[in-house]
Amino acid sequence: MLNIKLPEFKKKVYPDLELSLLEPSYKINLRGKKRDFFTKAGKLLSIMLPLESNTSANIKNINALWLSPDEWLIYGKDIDKDLEISLNNEISKLKYGSVTNVSDQWVIINLKGKNTFELLSKGSPFNFNNFKDKKNVVVQTLLNHIDVILHHQEINDLNLFVRKSFSEHLWLWINDSSRFI
């Protein structure tokens, strides 16, 4: 799989909150606007890229997160080097869009439990009232002054994407704040 040096976080369990690292995981940034881009990406991923802001789409073990009108973050267990090569050959080389492996830039931290949004509310300006009741939604916000992407997959189960260089600091903040919920 990937040969990336990742932070070594141990799974933590607090009352009504569980924290774990979901790594290693392939993460691919897709960018494109052309009709052929959407056709090729959909065919290769077996998933239609979400077109509505702050939404996601998933099939089996592949997730597509909307980041902007022409940008998506693709991640999951069924993504590998072969899929990345296919995307490069069918999209980048034909100039329909761009395919960038960002696996070594982002770390995924999974948060589960009914105290998840209470924890996030302690360090984020985002209002989670509507977000926490919806599945397959995405938000880009700040958490403890750090840029993060939140993917709410199931109720009280979300994946937090943080830049690798800030991951250790954020992990320590999350663990420290979790003790006081």
Side-chain angles (χ1 to χ4, degrees), residues 1-7 20-29 61-65 73-81 84 100-110 151 153 159-162 164:
M1 175 124 189
L2 299 171
N3 190 15
I4 299 170
K5 183 161 177 18
L6 295 165
S20 59
L21 186 66
L22 290 185
E23 295 294 347
S25 176
Y26 254 87
K27 296 166 223 62
I28 297 174
N29 182 280
N61 288 319
I62 296 178
N63 296 282
L65 311 183
L73 180 64
I74 312 300
Y75 78 99
K77 293 179 182 172
D78 286 349
I79 297 176
D80 57 13
K81 188 70 175 167
E84 181 189 357
T100 308
N101 185 333
V102 293
S103 300
D104 59 347
Q105 295 176 19
W106 294 98
V107 170
I108 305 174
I109 299 171
N110 181 260
H151 178 213
Q153 308 174 104
N159 288 334
L160 181 150
F161 293 78
V162 60
K164 189 165 72 168

Side-chain angles (χ1 to χ4, degrees), residues 11-134:
K11 182 177 180 177
K12 299 280 187 166
V13 179
Y14 298 97
D16 296 317
L17 183 64
E18 185 179 303
L19 313 171
S20 59
L21 186 66
L22 290 185
E23 295 294 347
S25 176
Y26 254 87
K27 296 166 223 62
I28 297 174
N29 182 280
L30 290 181
R31 294 193 78 137
K33 295 181 189 178
K34 298 178 181 177
R35 183 175 169 205
D36 291 331
F37 165 80
F38 289 101
T39 303
K40 296 284 187 181
K43 191 175 185 180
L44 291 168
L45 295 169
S46 301
I47 192 171
M48 292 297 299
L49 295 175
L51 300 177
E52 188 177 330
S53 63
N54 299 325
T55 60
S56 69
N58 61 354
I59 187 167
K60 296 180 185 171
N61 288 319
I62 296 178
N63 296 282
L65 311 183
W66 183 96
L67 299 180
S68 74
D70 67 346
E71 183 177 12
W72 296 264
L73 180 64
I74 312 300
Y75 78 99
K77 293 179 182 172
D78 286 349
I79 297 176
D80 57 13
K81 188 70 175 167
D82 293 336
L83 180 59
E84 181 189 357
I85 291 169
S86 296
L87 287 166
N88 269 313
N89 289 337
E90 297 291 324
I91 294 174
S92 288
K93 288 187 179 177
L94 299 176
K95 299 189 189 316
Y96 294 145
S98 71
V99 177
T100 308
N101 185 333
V102 293
S103 300
D104 59 347
Q105 295 176 19
W106 294 98
V107 170
I108 305 174
I109 299 171
N110 181 260
L111 292 89
K112 286 183 188 173
K114 66 182 187 182
N115 283 337
T116 297
F117 292 101
E118 187 174 336
L119 169 71
L120 295 175
S121 295
K122 288 178 175 271
S124 177
F126 186 73
N127 182 349
F128 291 101
N129 289 337
N130 292 331
F131 184 82
K132 66 182 177 182
D133 296 326
K134 297 178 184 174

